Amino acid sequence: MAVALRVIPCLDVHDGRVVKGVNFTNLRDAGDPVELAAKYSADGADELTFLDISASSDGRATTREMVARCAETVFIPLTVGGGVREVSDVDLLLRAGADKVGINTGALARPGVIDEIARVFGNQVLVLSVDARREPGMPSGFGVTTHGGRRSAGVDAIEWAREACDRGVGEILLNSMDADGTTDGFDIEMLTAVRQVVDVPLIASGGAGTVEHFVEAARAGADAVLAASVFHYQSLTVAEVKDGLRTAGFEVR
């Protein structure tokens, strides 16, 4: 039986507020995270993803408080990322009310932490966030970036996705830094390349602007579709995306 496609609003949080920019620059305020979480839950979102994009030590404390408030308010799964480097960071976020935890820079710095987290909590709680862009020098043509897409990690994105799955990641959030915030569509070529090497659920992120973009991502093998700008600024609703996916023949929740 086919697993229903998930529609996931993403809340990029900076200093306790939801923000959104283009290619991670020119950030605009988009509202209070708990209020937006409640709205998206009522709108029929399947999950919510919170990414603390400043992720300083004080930011992580802020994030835990925000997660706790959201967990009391909404009853759909919450994935939280930002500043996760150790098993203890995952423990704190899960205790605060997160259902899944995203890791990015911490795993690049020390890939073995993936094995450790998966061993302690199981792979179902661990989401690898891959911020990738086209990088001609890489074997696949796609490289992993850090620092909001500004710095190359010197790692091939497709190989990193494969390695992380071998180490125990339960899900991959693939974010195209070239497409991020542009509303020009997901990077289907990159999505297809990752889909061919991993068998864990794959979340498409970066570039959604129309309902057809979500359909294209689903056709490329995404198990979930994630977006921020189109939902925050109300050019699309969760219901419209689900209706479009349903019309295209995909099962949604």
Side-chain angles (χ1 to χ4, degrees):
M1 187 176 125
V3 176
L5 206 75
R6 291 167 288 148
V7 178
I8 307 174
C10 182
L11 307 178
D12 294 313
V13 179
H14 178 69
D15 292 338
R17 297 287 292 178
V18 177
V19 296
K20 192 59 198 165
V22 177
N23 306 130
F24 276 52
T25 60
N26 301 320
L27 300 177
R28 287 194 291 159
D29 187 89
D32 175 76
V34 181
E35 288 174 12
L36 277 173
K39 176 190 181 304
Y40 291 138
S41 178
D43 287 350
D46 298 304
E47 296 182 10
L48 290 169
T49 292
F50 294 91
L51 299 177
D52 178 356
I53 62 173
S54 42
S56 58
S57 53
D58 56 322
R60 282 201 292 281
T62 306
T63 303
R64 288 200 297 277
E65 181 199 346
M66 179 200 70
V67 171
R69 286 166 55 217
C70 285
E72 290 168 2
T73 308
V74 305
F75 302 98
I76 55 177
L78 307 177
T79 298
V80 184
V84 173
R85 288 181 171 78
E86 303 290 343
V87 168
S88 57
D89 297 325
V90 177
D91 186 51
L92 287 168
L93 289 170
L94 293 176
R95 287 174 188 275
D99 297 279
K100 294 186 274 190
V101 173
I103 190 167
N104 183 345
T105 308
L108 285 163
R110 192 170 70 84
V113 75
I114 295 174
D115 308 66
E116 294 168 13
I117 294 167
R119 194 161 53 241
V120 174
F121 298 106
N123 63 0
Q124 75 282 352
V125 308
L126 188 58
V127 180
L128 180 75
S129 184
V130 181
D131 291 337
R133 68 169 11 133
R134 287 163 190 272
E135 199 170 325
M138 290 294 164
S140 70
F142 300 104
V144 179
T145 69
T146 60
H147 299 80
R150 293 186 297 278
R151 195 176 299 178
S152 170
V155 174
D156 185 272
I158 311 305
E159 281 307 309
W160 175 230
R162 192 204 313 258
E163 178 187 343
C165 288
D166 290 344
R167 287 180 176 275
V169 159
E171 196 163 35
I172 289 183
L173 168 54
L174 181 65
N175 187 35
S176 167
M177 300 309 296
D178 295 317
D180 179 78
T182 64
T183 67
D184 292 333
F186 294 99
D187 189 327
I188 299 302
E189 187 184 349
M190 184 166 72
L191 195 61
T192 302
V194 172
R195 177 76 287 168
Q196 288 171 347
V197 301
V198 305
D199 56 7
V200 301
L202 181 58
I203 306 167
S205 169
T210 68
V211 169
E212 184 57 31
H213 291 155
F214 291 94
V215 172
E216 289 167 0
R219 287 186 178 134
D223 300 280
V225 284
L226 177 146
S229 303
V230 290
F231 295 142
H232 297 343
Y233 304 122
Q234 297 169 359
S235 52
L236 286 175
T237 65
V238 171
E240 285 169 339
V241 171
K242 287 191 169 187
D243 285 346
L245 289 165
R246 212 177 272 118
T247 299
F250 291 97
E251 184 183 344
V252 295
R253 296 180 184 180

